[in-house]
Structures are given as C-alpha cells and as structure tokens.
Amino acid sequence: MEIPRQLPNTITIVRILCAPVFLWLLLADGGADGALRWWAAALFIVAIATDGIDGYLARKHHIVTDLGKLLDPIADKVLTGFAFIGLSILGELPWWVTIVVLIREIGITVYRFMVVSDHVLAAAWMGKLKTLAQGVALSLALLPLWTLVGEWIFWVNGVTMTIAVVLTIASGIDYIVSEVRAAREKRTSS
C-alpha cells in the first residue's frame, strides 16, 4: 500500500502542534487531578507515541527526508520540553531538572541548525533511547496514578525521571564526542 510521501512529516508537525494544547490542558486547572490532567496526559502519550510511527513509516516506505531528520527530534524536544516546564510550573518537578534537560535539548538543536548546511545531524541511538526514557518518565509523572494506586508511584516516578535525566546528559555528551570525532576525521582526510 502506497502512503502519501508527506505523511511522516505531517505526523511530526502535528506532534509539534499538540505541544501547546497539551500544556494548556495540564495547566488550565492548576494541575489538579481531574479530567483535564488525564486529557493532558493522554494527549502527551499519544503525541510522543507518534515519534515511532513517523520514523517507521518513513523508513518502511523509503521516504526519509532531510526535513524529517531535522523536524523529528525538534518535535520531540518541543513536546517533552513543554512537559518538563509544565511539571516544574506545577511544582511537581524541580526546576534544576528542567533547566539541565532544556540546556541539553536547546544546545543540540542550535547545533543542528548550525551544521545543517554541512550535514543533517540525525538522531543517534542514545538520543532515541533518551527520548524513550523521557517519554516514559514524563508519562508516569503526568498521569495522576497516585489517585488510583497510592503514593508509592512517586518513588517509581523518581526512578524513571532519574534514568531519563542521566540519559539526557549522557546522550548530549555522546553527540558532542561524535561530532568532534567526525570533524577531526574530516580535517585529517582533507
């Protein structure tokens, strides 16, 4: 079955557009454990799940584009960045965690734009693992599961968020090291 060539990039753009709607749903009632919180969490989970779908479709149907390689990680960063910020605004996540994550995410994104004329910096395996860990940690933090299973879920949230933050830092270091090596190899081969 043939799919429209622009479908993966359209899915990615929709993920970006979902981010402000998600943030509004999360903050509209002050983060209360009611219906808006559940809707915010559901929208986040559906939107972050599309990360795998757009990439899968693009690879399966051989319609991977440079625009998609550039937009896909940006969409992830916008969505997860809004989630980190929203949780910090609500006082559910320390601001230092959000700041560390945003510095890494914005730094890599700015670097991507700086080198786009030279080469497209596609997501590496560690960056994909980081996004998965962030998606799981943020989903658990956003869902008001404590209303269903009790407060022990906060411990689980803390563990998953710690893993996500460690992977965020490690993947940032991995990008820097990879780019420095590639630049060194390029200079020596010239």
Side-chain angles (χ1 to χ4, degrees), residues 98-116:
T98 297
I99 291 167
V100 165
V101 169
L102 290 179
I103 287 172
R104 183 267 186 216
E105 302 294 16
I106 292 168
I108 295 297
T109 301
V110 167
Y111 182 75
R112 280 180 199 277
F113 282 114
M114 288 171 46
V115 300
V116 74

Side-chain angles (χ1 to χ4, degrees), residues 1 10 27 29 36 40 50-51 53 59-60 69 87 110 115 119 125 131 134 146 149 162 175 177 179 189:
M1 180 178 95
T10 301
L27 299 177
D29 64 356
L36 288 178
T50 66
D51 179 38
I53 295 167
R59 286 186 300 278
K60 181 179 184 209
K69 288 181 196 175
L87 289 169
V110 167
V115 300
H119 66 282
W125 71 270
T131 301
Q134 285 181 354
W146 51 89
V149 299
T162 300
Y175 272 119
V177 169
E179 284 296 299
S189 67

Side-chain angles (χ1 to χ4, degrees), residues 27-42:
L27 299 177
D29 64 356
D33 302 338
L36 288 178
R37 177 71 179 240
W38 285 100
W39 279 108

Side-chain angles (χ1 to χ4, degrees), residues 37 87 92 136-144 146 157 160-161:
R37 177 71 179 240
L87 289 169
E92 297 177 19
V136 170
L138 289 167
S139 296
L140 286 172
L142 290 166
L143 287 165
W146 51 89
N157 292 354
T160 59
M161 193 61 72

Side-chain angles (χ1 to χ4, degrees), residues 1-159:
M1 180 178 95
E2 190 72 24
I3 66 165
R5 197 165 161 68
Q6 68 278 11
L7 182 61
N9 288 347
T10 301
I11 292 170
T12 302
I13 291 166
V14 168
R15 187 161 67 252
I16 293 170
L17 296 175
C18 283
V21 176
F22 149 74
L23 187 61
W24 180 84
L25 287 169
L26 181 64
L27 299 177
D29 64 356
D33 302 338
L36 288 178
R37 177 71 179 240
W38 285 100
W39 279 108
L43 180 57
F44 176 85
I45 292 167
V46 168
I48 201 71
T50 66
D51 179 38
I53 295 167
D54 57 7
Y56 169 78
L57 290 173
R59 286 186 300 278
K60 181 179 184 209
H61 296 280
H62 307 289
I63 50 178
V64 174
T65 65
D66 283 347
L67 178 63
K69 288 181 196 175
L70 190 65
L71 281 181
D72 184 64
I74 291 171
D76 299 336
K77 288 169 179 38
V78 169
L79 186 61
T80 58
F82 277 30
F84 279 108
I85 290 168
L87 289 169
S88 290
I89 288 171
L90 295 174
E92 297 177 19
L93 186 67
W95 273 105
W96 72 264
V97 170
T98 297
I99 291 167
V100 165
V101 169
L102 290 179
I103 287 172
R104 183 267 186 216
E105 302 294 16
I106 292 168
I108 295 297
T109 301
V110 167
Y111 182 75
R112 280 180 199 277
F113 282 114
M114 288 171 46
V115 300
V116 74
S117 62
D118 184 40
H119 66 282
V120 173
L121 183 60
W125 71 270
M126 191 179 280
K128 292 178 184 193
L129 184 61
K130 176 266 313 173
T131 301
L132 176 65
Q134 285 181 354
V136 170
L138 289 167
S139 296
L140 286 172
L142 290 166
L143 287 165
L145 294 174
W146 51 89
T147 63
L148 301 175
V149 299
E151 294 195 7
W152 65 269
I153 198 71
F154 291 123
W155 182 84
V156 174
N157 292 354
V159 169

